[in-house]
Amino acid sequence: MDITSLKSWELREKILKKEISSYEVTEAFLEKIDEVEDEINAFITIDAERALESAKIVDQKIMEGKKVGILAGLPVAIKDNIMTKNLRTTCASKMLEHYVPPYNATVIEKIRIEDGIIIGKANMDEFAMGGSTETSYFGPTKNPRNKSVVAGGSSGGSAAAIAAQEAAFSLGTDTGGSIRQPASYCGVVGVKPTYGLVSRYGVVPMSNSLDQVGVFGKDVKDAYIALKSIAGFDPLDATSSKKYSLEDINFEEISLKGLRIALPKEYDELRVEGDQKIREIFENKLRVFENNGAIIEYVSLPYLKYALETYYLISTAEVSTNLSRFDGIRYGHRALEYNTLDELYINSRTEGFGEETKRRIMMGTYALSQGYKDEHYKKALKIRTLIKDDYDRVFQNFDVILSVTSPILPFPFDSVINSPVDMYKADTYTVPVNLAGLCAISVPMGEVDNLPVGLQITANRFNEKKLFTAAYGYERSAK
Amino acid sequence: MITKEEVRNIAQIAKLKFNDDELESFTEKFSLVLDFVHHINSVDTEGVEPCYGISDENGFFKEYDIDQTLNREEVLKNTTESEYGYFKILKVVE
Amino acid sequence: MSYKTLVGLEIHVELMTERKMFCNCKNEFGAMPNTNVCPVCLGLPGALPVMDKEAVEYAIMAGIAFNCEIDRTIIMDRKSYFYPDLTKGYQISQSDFPLCKGGFLEIDSEEGAKKIRLERIHIEEDTGKQIHTDNGTTLLDFNRSGVPLIEIVTKPDINSAEEARLFLEKLKNTIKYIGVSDVKMEEGSLRCDVNINVIDEENNIKSNISEIKNLNSFKSVVKAIEYEEKRHIELLNSGKNTEKETRRFNELTGETILMRKKFQASDYRYQFEGDLTPIHLSDDWIKQIESSMPELPDQKKKRFIEQYKITEYDASVLTQSKELSIFYEELASLIGDSKLAANWIMTDVLRRLKEEDKEISELNLTAQSLAELLNFVKSGKINNNTAKKVLREMLETNETATSIIEKHGLIQISDEDELERIIDEVISENQQSIEDFKNGKDRALGFLMGQIMKKTKGKANPNTANKILIDKINGN
Ligand SMILES: [Mg+2]
Ligand SMILES: [Zn+2]
């Protein structure tokens, strides 16, 4: 039996039935890491010893008949922008190459309470900026499905770790598609929960009003278990929801009958340069929903046309302030040479940050600076309200929105994208979800040229139940 | 269009530095991006409230029973230089 | 020529909350460096702020005390700049939506009561502290980082250094009354920046505003304003003008020196603080705070005049400091005489405070100990002059009035029975002198009184003793 090829919910049952131990499972995943990691590079740091120690403790609990958490001793990979106490956390940046946090993110505390085994820190684009994990200071992650293409990003390591069977679950963060796009590229399931469902305390922000921690799993049920372990109110995160939590779902009872599905017609009008073949698969898969009794209608969200620009302005503006704390004084890279205060800052930051990070800090600084703030940043905040209102209106009559996750296929390394603007357009389907704080999932919907492509399902804020209903109903029927 | 000088000025505010080649290519890309974002200026936002957070819930105050304070060893362990329990940098009085 | 000086003040006041503004670290002065810090106030990657309720409550109290309009939504902003004492590269502050708007504070200026209007009061976090050492290093302590502050901004309604001083005294006193800060300038819990310019009213020319920082005492504020006033007028007189700039006050020379020109001023790039979901404040909560507000100086002054029947002047002096007003009320109630209490504080106590430049709490004197002394006066056991001497000794030695009076035997014997007994003794021992007196030798009476004083060690109430003696001799 290849342990690592099993679904996590299957492994979970086996562990709880004492057919297999957490130690054996953890060992199996660590062996897999040994085997493939040189090529894949899904991890920045692997914490084998402590993982095995923790597995022993969970096994002990099971032996003693104590209550075991929902993760039941399964290994979890953590994106390296999530603080793990006493375990190096780098954000894939030279800036934090040697940073060892003195505290845990709330999601890490939750994973420990739920008996998850932290196996290592997953690779990512530097400070979560990028869509290919190529901006990592620790080298790119390769796509386990085809090693000549990228794994996507920014949570490329977390997605690849699932696809390459190096972890049972993984955590990522999603600011404009950073979970869903790599999930699509690597052929796994990735969930971006509603803003406020999962605590951001201890998660290094890229764009704090858009970021949300989410999960990867082999299938929809795996993703649900992982999300269940980390969701919930956190008094340390003032944007966390007191009112809503992740509802229990009985997967056996799920049906697509009567599910009201919306297709935004603006997506057709936006003329995103992409692969026609992805589009064809998507239209095919719509039939799976229809055949199971779902109702599909076109809708209009007029302000979607401005989502990319709005996203770009808000996210870079927030990036510019979120990354101001990296000044080389209290932690992080400090330049050896400096004679003035300005040199201390400029040299440390210029040496410590990579190109893409610097580019976005620059854009954000510009967007916020005197004379431009009103026509850029403030305008974008207003359009964000309009986009949110658009979605609110659609969700009065519909349960979910369907689209492709990414309009383009996983691309080869170092593929020159001449225009930065064309690069942004690849995020057309994922970005609006973050602007409106919605939840969305990417599930595999097939292959084009032997490369995986994903289907994106979007639901209203705190309507994860509908998200999982649609996703599981689809996954089960599409088999 | 944005000039190299403007880009240099923004870099100074952001505490970053670019050499001439970088500045050149940067300025070019920056201009493309600006053309792109200017698209939003055509949107009529008269009377629209800026989005101050996506949540419909009221914010909340801090709970007092959570102990966050670190011991000093943990506080100083990630810095390059410290002395007498302080973080230390070279004297940089303005 | 006629010039008008316009001064606006920006005052930062540290709030005496139990915890810091966005984390649960202790808000205390003087702890070992970097021992009251956590991921939040150190600005560690990933840490998030959550608003302190007490800080907001204190800021609202200040807003109410200064007659402001209280906003019903708390929206915070990031104010970006780089400085070693600032942990996140931005300060969480308020830009477009200050918690308190408008408001005023009334001062008793030379020309009578004058309202100084406020622009706003907003809430923000404090920074850490830098220590520049002699061996070329800068040391950083972040215990103060994240301590809650209110920033009080006045309109340029202040027209002289003296008015600025009066305003600051009143502000400090008011804040002490509501108890939200200890407002100690020397510990940095009250900090003040001055914005000043001058208008040449005849020629209708304004000088450009100078901002003066680094003011460590009210005296410095006064001196800096006086210096700047002169500098601005001289420049205008010579046909030049000042430049918009930030200046630093040098305490040693009493002069201000250029720090930076305003056009070099940083662009703070204010941005909405998305980590803090706006908090809507209920009217109920504001009302609750309003109704639990302690009495303010002006209210107390009015009450003193009515309740204690003292003069407006006395009431105004007695309420100028919260401690003094409490001292007065205690004293008045202990001795049951509000006027006697007022007289003693207004004269002897205040003179002492002025001489030593002290607060009432710093003297060797409590309302109880002063009441003890004044009760001797009230009951006629010692006279006013003796009491003044005793008070002086009390302040010096910290002994009680009773022990000083006893030690020096200052109590007058006015008890007639006791005096009669002593006088009987003196009479029986000095029959010859009695005879002499009866024979018209007045001097003999003096001798007899001397004997009485000798026996009583000078404590016999002279009037009473004299009367008893004459009565006895005359055989009544
Ligand atoms: Mg301020
Ligand atoms: Zn703290």
Side-chain angles (χ1 to χ4, degrees), chain A residues 303-318:
Chain A
Y303 291 102
L304 273 189
K305 287 196 284 288
Y306 308 98
L308 280 176
E309 295 87 331
T310 303
Y311 170 80
Y312 191 72
L313 285 166
I314 292 175
S315 68
T316 55
E318 290 180 6

Side-chain angles (χ1 to χ4, degrees), chain A residues 37 100 115 157 173 211 240-241 286 294 301 305 397 426:
Chain A
E37 188 53 16
V100 180
D115 292 311
T173 59
D211 298 337
S240 126
S241 173
L286 287 179
L301 292 94
K305 287 196 284 288
N397 301 311

Side-chain angles (χ1 to χ4, degrees), chain C residues 12 79 91 122 124 151:
Chain C
H12 285 88
K79 177 183 180 179
Q91 177 193 34
H122 69 252
E124 61 186 24
E151 180 174 333

Side-chain angles (χ1 to χ4, degrees), chain C residues 20 23-25 36-38 40-41:
Chain C
K20 292 190 186 178
C23 63
N24 275 333
C25 291
N36 282 335
V37 291
C38 73
V40 179
C41 55

Side-chain angles (χ1 to χ4, degrees), chain A residues 200-230:
Chain A
R200 293 185 300 109
Y201 186 75
V203 181
V204 180
M206 172 192 150
S207 172
N208 51 304
S209 78
L210 301 163
D211 298 337
Q212 189 63 188
V213 180
V215 295
F216 293 91
K218 285 196 188 84
D219 68 358
V220 174
K221 263 155 79 175
D222 276 8
Y224 177 77
I225 292 169
L227 183 58
K228 191 78 186 167
S229 75
I230 57 167

